[in-house]
Each structure stands twice: as structure tokens, then as C-alpha cells.
Amino acid sequence: MPLAVMVLGVAGAFATTSMASTKAVVNQQGYRFVSNADPCHADLMCRTEFGDICKSGTITLWGKVTPSATTCDVQLYKIPN
């Protein structure tokens, strides 16, 4: 009986840890480079979860590290239909 309690305790600990480490899928604004004066032009919504590269036509879209960032260098992925 004590062994069964220990096994359940360890299994519960692993389950709790794995739930805490699950990343949430986040939709994020995708930006395209237009010019040096407009390096991050808002385009389509993309997501952060790995998948097909987010594109607008043939142009790859990028995300910002923070909304106020002036560069767009975060890889984004297409939101599935």
C-alpha cells in the first residue's frame, strides 16, 4: 500500500510539472519590411507555435519582441485555417 501511494504521488508530480511547462499558442501581429522609414509595417495575424512560415503572398512576415520594439525579427508561423 505505501508503495502505491508513493507511485501515485510521483505520477501526480510529473503530471503537474508537464502541465505547467505547456506553452500557450499566441496569435501575434505579423509585420513586413517596406523601407528603412517603415521597417515594421503591420500586415496579417500570425502565431508563435511552430508550423508553416507566416507569409503575405510571397513576403515572410515577422513579429516584434515587444509591441514597442522598432525591429521585427521574431519568426512567426501561419495560423491554420
Side-chain angles (χ1 to χ4, degrees):
M1 182 70 156
L3 181 59
V5 171
M6 186 176 79
V7 169
L8 287 174
V10 170
F14 279 114
T16 302
T17 301
S18 66
M19 286 189 308
S21 66
T22 302
K23 290 183 178 180
V25 176
V26 177
N27 287 348
Q28 187 173 346
Q29 180 65 56
Y31 298 89
R32 62 184 165 89
F33 178 85
V34 174
S35 67
N36 287 334
D38 188 12
C40 296
H41 186 82
D43 203 310
L44 301 172
M45 291 300 291
C46 303
R47 68 180 185 167
T48 57
E49 183 182 21
F50 185 77
D52 293 334
I53 300 296
C54 190
K55 293 186 175 196
S56 177
T58 59
I59 310 240
T60 299
L61 302 180
W62 299 88
K64 294 181 176 183
V65 175
T66 63
S68 61
T70 57
T71 59
C72 301
D73 54 5
V74 176
Q75 184 70 65
L76 295 176
Y77 304 96
K78 181 180 176 182
I79 297 172
N81 294 334

